[in-house]
Amino acid sequence: MPEPAARPASMGLATVVLATVMDTPIGPLSLLARDGRLIAGGFTTDPAEMHARLALPLRALPLQTTGPAELPWLAKPVAAYFDGDLAALDAIPVSQPGSPSRQRLWAALRGVPPGRTVSYTQLAAQGGNPRAPRAAGAACAYNLIAPVVPCHRALRSDGTLGGYYYGLDRKRWLLRHEGVGG
């Protein structure tokens, strides 16, 4: 009987969610990846907190912690962003489940360049549904990939900050880091 073909290393990664925590100027950033894509990012010291927020099929996969050096495709652009290369996050591939409408809104958010902001109304229009600013706000609220899917760049129509899952101080810091505001 012939021996089974060797399984590529990347195949093994599909059965786990890899997690790492990076130090940033605004606190620890937990990053979760699967199949070479970022599936969650959030300002917490505990990757399990992010894992618990994933969609059920991803939550069912075991969480395996690793160091940032083991995920250079992710760690290098995140470090570069916090070091001042504001476009560095754009190269990170992401994946998060959501409706087609929500996917369009998240894509529109990724299209907002660093140093710019968008109102929830503008975001709704860019996402293809100009009459749904509340849906744009909900897409920001359900975004699990901060700051790579930059919901911190979405503001209320009057220019005020609105909300941010990780606190308005972090939202303010991210915007200032990108050159928005004083």
Side-chain angles (χ1 to χ4, degrees):
M1 176 175 237
E3 287 189 43
R7 191 172 169 175
S10 63
M11 292 292 287
L13 297 180
T15 61
V16 300
V17 172
L18 295 174
T20 193
V21 179
M22 293 184 63
D23 290 326
T24 77
I26 53 174
L29 177 64
S30 287
L31 301 165
L32 279 59
R34 178 172 179 255
D35 291 335
R37 295 188 172 278
L38 180 63
I39 61 170
F43 293 98
T44 175
T45 59
D46 185 7
E49 179 183 325
M50 296 303 304
H51 188 254
R53 294 179 61 206
L54 293 173
L56 188 57
L58 294 170
R59 212 172 37 231
L61 296 174
L63 185 64
Q64 178 183 322
T65 57
T66 189
E70 300 303 314
L71 297 169
W73 62 269
L74 179 55
K76 286 180 180 180
V78 169
Y81 170 80
F82 283 103
D83 285 342
D85 179 359
L86 302 178
L89 300 180
D90 296 344
I92 297 173
V94 300
S95 177
Q96 63 181 324
S99 68
S101 174
R102 205 162 269 171
Q103 294 294 333
R104 286 190 302 273
L105 289 164
W106 289 328
L109 271 173
R110 287 201 86 188
V112 177
R116 302 277 174 101
T117 60
V118 63
S119 71
Y120 295 110
T121 301
Q122 292 167 324
L123 179 61
Q126 291 171 9
N129 195 351
R131 297 181 191 196
R134 288 181 191 260
C140 289
Y142 285 99
N143 171 35
L144 291 182
I145 307 180
V148 178
V149 176
C151 54
H152 62 276
R153 295 180 191 151
L155 306 175
R156 291 181 177 152
S157 293
D158 65 3
T160 58
L161 293 181
Y164 191 63
Y165 187 86
Y166 300 102
L168 292 182
D169 286 343
R170 283 196 175 105
K171 183 171 185 170
R172 209 173 279 112
W173 189 97
L174 290 165
L175 290 171
R176 273 189 303 229
H177 177 64
E178 295 178 357
V180 175

